[in-house]
């Protein structure tokens, strides 16, 4: 009961408190929205890495395909924006279906193979000029609409939409983890051979996690396309959509559900609001140093560090 009350208080704070406190500052709100976009990618990456046991360097493929799918459908076929965002996730799932053969690979071979797919999709987006606009990209992508008299294209509207998206995905992540399939995936993470002996279809479960992860990342990419209203291949399939979320997920604790989200918000906001002001160029070096320090001192991320601190505090009490 106490935990439920705390959860309701936290949700009320993020849904109502953040717009009330920061809504008048468009710059800070744009940073918060960007951090939630990164948090959504980090969550989808952590789901695949934690439950699926697969380290992906190719999530930019899902992000870019989702973005282009929604942008093209809304601009060239008149699909409503919110429906287009969901179909962006479906487009990413279709892209993931092409990648299913690489599930037979393990470790760095899987990571490199899926990275190669991201480059392939970027090249396709560049060359398919009649649909994607080629290297020139697509401009004037429709913004989020006004529904029931509320303008979702405003900063606060965009914030509420991306916040809802990542919270729903976190709930789905939690439901999967608590299900029998989640239990099998966690066991598979420790020993694939052992789970195979007891009849678990490892390849099927990995494939399902890849598709779910791709859908999440594709929806986030689609939202981002309608938020920034512009898209071109080098941006949509940028390696930055992989590296920063991975840093955020590891920093926050990728084995937890809230870790990637908290890590994304902390890492991105601290970098943009403080570190970047002190070091206009090369500020990412600080993130790298902090990440290395975090991995050495607490491989489970911020939450692992907090647990260590609480245990130490209890022991000395």
């Amino acid at each position: 009961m106490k935990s439920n009350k705390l959860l309701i208080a936290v949700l009320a704070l993020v849904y109502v408190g953040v717009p009330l406190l920061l809504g008048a500052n468009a710059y800070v709100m744009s940073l918060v929205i960007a951090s939630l976009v990164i948090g959504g990618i980090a969550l989808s990456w952590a789901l695949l890495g934690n439950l699926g046991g697969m380290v992906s360097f190719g999530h930019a493929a899902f992000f870019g395909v989702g973005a282009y799918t929604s942008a093209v459908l809304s601009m060239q076929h008149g699909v409503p924006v919110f429906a287009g965002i969901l179909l962006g996730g479906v487009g990413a799932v279709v892209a993931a279906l092409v990648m299913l053969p690489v599930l037979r690979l393990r470790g760095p071979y899987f990571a490199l193979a899926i990275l190669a797919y991201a480059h392939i999709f970027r090249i396709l987006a560049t060359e398919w000029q009649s649909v994607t606009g080629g290297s020139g990209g697509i401009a004037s992508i429709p913004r989020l609409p006004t529904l029931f008299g509320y303008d979702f294209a405003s900063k606060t509207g965009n914030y509420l939409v991306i916040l809802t998206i990542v919270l729903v995905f976190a709930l789905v992540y939690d439901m999967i983890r608590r299900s029998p399939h989640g239990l099998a995936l966690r066991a598979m993470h420790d020993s694939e051979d052992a789970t195979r002996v007891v009849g678990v279809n490892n390849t099927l479960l990995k494939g399902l996690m890849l598709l779910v992860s791709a859908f999440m990342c594709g929806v986030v990419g689609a939202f981002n396309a309608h938020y920034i209203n512009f898209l071109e291949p080098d941006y949509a399939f940028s390696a930055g959509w992989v590296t920063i979320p991975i840093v955020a997920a590891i920093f926050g604790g990728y084995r937890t559900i809230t870790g990637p989200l908290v890590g994304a918000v902390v890492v991105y906001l601290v970098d943009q609001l403080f570190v970047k002001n002190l070091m206009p160029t090369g500020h990412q070096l600080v993130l790298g140093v902090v990440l290395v320090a975090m991995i050495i001192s607490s491989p489970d991320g911020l939450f692992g560090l907090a647990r260590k601190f609480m245990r130490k505090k209890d022991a000395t009490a």
Side-chain angles (χ1 to χ4, degrees):
M1 182 64 74
K2 186 177 179 181
S3 61
N4 289 338
K5 288 181 179 178
L6 178 62
L7 178 62
I8 292 172
V10 171
L11 288 177
L13 179 64
V14 296
Y15 267 103
V16 181
V18 171
L20 285 176
L21 293 172
L22 307 175
N25 192 326
Y27 173 65
V28 174
M29 281 300 289
S30 67
L31 294 181
V32 173
I33 293 169
S35 69
L36 288 173
V37 168
I38 293 171
I41 304 171
L43 190 66
S44 70
W45 182 87
L47 182 141
L48 188 65
N50 184 20
L51 294 187
M54 295 173 283
V55 176
S56 167
F57 291 151
H59 265 50
F62 308 137
F63 184 89
V65 170
Y68 269 106
T69 300
S70 186
V72 170
L73 288 177
S74 61
M75 294 184 71
Q76 300 181 11
H77 301 282
V79 174
V81 170
F82 280 124
I85 290 176
L86 290 177
L87 290 173
V90 175
V93 169
V94 174
L97 289 173
V98 180
M99 302 178 185
L100 288 179
V102 304
L103 290 177
R104 291 180 297 178
L105 304 175
R106 293 187 180 184
Y109 302 105
F110 170 83
L112 291 175
I114 203 167
L115 175 63
Y117 273 107
H119 286 290
I120 291 172
F121 282 113
R122 182 180 60 79
I123 293 170
L124 285 175
T126 303
E127 298 298 326
W128 200 1
Q129 296 187 15
S130 60
V131 175
T132 65
S135 57
I138 303 174
S140 303
I141 297 172
R143 298 178 184 275
L144 297 185
T146 297
L147 292 178
F148 308 112
Y150 186 80
D151 182 14
F152 283 97
S154 65
K155 288 291 183 188
T156 301
N158 277 286
Y159 166 76
L160 295 176
V161 171
I162 187 62
L163 175 65
T164 302
I165 288 173
V166 295
L167 290 180
V168 168
F169 287 167
L171 179 63
V172 171
Y173 186 168
D174 185 52
M175 292 172 63
I176 293 174
R177 193 178 67 164
R178 293 173 183 272
S179 71
H181 297 301
L183 181 63
L185 284 162
R186 279 182 284 169
M188 186 180 71
H189 192 279
D190 295 329
S191 175
E192 284 195 33
D193 294 333
T195 52
R196 190 177 293 111
V197 168
V198 296
V200 175
N201 189 331
N202 294 342
T203 304
L204 177 61
L205 287 180
K206 281 185 174 181
L208 290 174
M209 283 306 97
L210 179 64
L211 299 182
V212 174
S213 178
F215 179 82
M216 289 182 177
C217 195
V219 168
V220 175
F223 163 83
N224 194 63
H226 293 285
Y227 172 59
I228 64 170
N229 317 120
F230 175 77
L231 207 56
E232 52 95 13
D234 288 342
Y235 171 81
F237 297 95
S238 169
W241 297 121
V242 182
T243 53
I244 298 177
I246 289 177
V247 170
I250 294 176
F251 187 83
Y254 81 99
R255 292 188 182 281
T256 66
I257 295 174
T258 52
L261 297 178
V262 173
V265 173
V266 171
V267 167
Y268 190 77
L269 292 185
V270 169
D271 178 55
Q272 294 294 315
L273 290 175
F274 302 106
V275 181
K276 193 174 180 180
N277 287 331
L278 297 174
M279 296 175 61
T281 58
H283 54 95
Q284 293 89 349
L285 288 173
V286 176
L287 292 181
V289 172
V290 172
L291 178 64
V292 171
M294 178 63 78
I295 292 174
I296 294 173
S297 61
S298 177
D300 291 330
L302 277 177
F303 286 95
L305 195 63
R307 283 194 295 271
K308 282 184 181 178
F309 176 77
M310 293 303 296
R311 282 198 295 267
K312 189 175 180 180
K313 187 178 179 181
D314 292 340
T316 55

